[in-house]
Amino acid sequence: MRLREVAYARSGDKGNISNITVLPRVGTDLAWLRANLTVARVAEHFGELVRGPVTRYDLPGIGALNFVLEEALDGGVSVSLRADPHGKSYQSLMLDLELPDR
Amino acid sequence: MAESGVVDVLGFDCLAERTLALAQVKRAADQEAGYDPRLPEYLRRLAPSLKRGLTVVGNFGAANVAAATERTVKELRDAGLGGMRVGSIQGDDVLDLVRGDDIEIPDLGKRLSELGDRVVSANAYVGAQPVIDCLEEGASWVLGGRLADVSLFVGPICWALGWPLDDPAQAAQATMIGHLLECGVQVTGGYFADPPYREVPGQAHLGFPYAEYRDDEWTIRKSGGSGGLVDERVVKLQLAYEVHDPARYLTPDVTADFTNVECRDLGDDQVAVGGARGAPRPETLKVLVGVDLGYRVVAEIGYAGTGCIARAGDAEAIIRSAIDGFGEDVTESRFDLVGVDALAGGTRPETGEPAELRLRVAAYCRTQKTAEALADEVEYLYLGPAGGGGVTRAISRPIGIFPASIARDRVDIVTELIDL
């Protein structure tokens, strides 16, 4: 199952750091997502695109997870030679991540 | 929105890391340029609303607040707005200061002195206090340079509601609202549609957002008669946009904690939001340092049909050989197949050969001559592997923007009030 089937996502950039917020489509899926959408799984999925550590933060008020990917933007939007220097497309790549069926 | 009279204050966040870099490039070429090129049009179109009492705050000055202020005064005088007052916030240009301090740029692991004359600009993020000062002095058009995105809204909120900026609880609430508004349509359905899971109506005419404060509650809404949507999903996603640790969202005004922010859908494109907490502001200000990166060349050529990936591979080998010949004049390069891996990297499993693709070559060169020569090499690929077509090429002189920090008491912000 792809993450896209159970969650929404939005990516943003600050310097060479990308953050991707993952919001379950149904609030009760949050605990399942916390257990399955781990830092290790996300780091593995992005592979060589992300050269620094990945950190996950909780936003219990809105029921979302926030992934912070360091050294993830080839130097950042004003420096990068990549075709998507902001990493705007990272949200879509995140949603393609394969998870076990619930 | 301005003409409808529904809002008292309009905030314009005109700057991002990339746009500030572009503004610095323009100013380097022309000392009268480097402010937001849309400023004259904004002034002309908003003049009638200013007459009716609208207040406008924006970081229109970008890399050249002085020239932007001059232009603002001229346009508003020409529009017959005598008696009005303009507030100009300067002092975010800290280049001399950080050169003197020889600060370090963490991303590069280098001090400014090691970068020499490649350092072209340094702008400190300015908070809401000077905005409040200008509004209290009766300014109805306030402009600055690197005014922090959220502070463009925190200033008017604190001014209008009489909230003291040094009360972290109230500054954090205002920051939460400013953060939700600063990216405009991203909280009204922009950057959101992903059918069939996320459908957005009227995407060609997304409404701009505004915040309303009534009975101690904030609601996010959008301009009347517009497309898009405001619901819990878009507000929640935007709340965490470009936030790292949600318990420590750092701005020049406050250390905001969004961990327990909650949203409540009121229907009819209205979402109530609240629950931000605050701690005192950081003792340092973020500084964006502009560094000359040399010449950037981006060139592409397309291949189609069976074998297109193999032919693009041959083309890449030819260009790699050319780059070897340029020696140290090419400082960095990369190759991507647009349509295969340019955006996705290795995240996609093998899905077979596409119907068509473009080989994209991007590089930094020390000289324009080398950049042109490298782009020529891609153009010569018309004579390379079979069937290469549609070469495009572009050479630019980018300024890289790198974050650093400075003690806030070192930065001297000056506000100037000009009577029209």
Side-chain angles (χ1 to χ4, degrees), chain B residues 62-84:
Chain B
N64 198 343
V65 185
T69 302
E70 217 170 283
R71 187 65 186 262
T72 300
V73 168
K74 179 185 178 304
E75 292 285 347
L76 292 180
R77 278 186 178 145
D78 289 352
L81 285 165
M84 218 192 84

Side-chain angles (χ1 to χ4, degrees), chain B residues 43-126:
Chain B
L43 289 161
R44 284 193 288 271
R45 292 184 61 179
L46 290 169
S49 299
L50 292 171
K51 280 182 191 164
R52 288 196 298 269
L54 180 74
T55 297
V56 174
V57 179
N59 43 23
F60 309 104
N64 198 343
V65 185
T69 302
E70 217 170 283
R71 187 65 186 262
T72 300
V73 168
K74 179 185 178 304
E75 292 285 347
L76 292 180
R77 278 186 178 145
D78 289 352
L81 285 165
M84 218 192 84
R85 188 170 266 194
V86 170
S88 172
I89 300 167
Q90 307 201 30
D92 64 305
D93 183 340
V94 292
L95 181 57
D96 291 340
L97 190 60
V98 296
R99 272 218 177 103
D101 288 1
D102 198 19
I103 63 168
E104 191 193 358
I105 299 179
D107 279 5
L108 296 176
K110 286 184 173 157
R111 294 196 171 273
L112 295 194
S113 56
E114 296 175 70
L115 296 164
D117 60 6
R118 291 176 61 205
V119 177
V120 296
S121 68
N123 295 83
Y125 276 88
V126 178

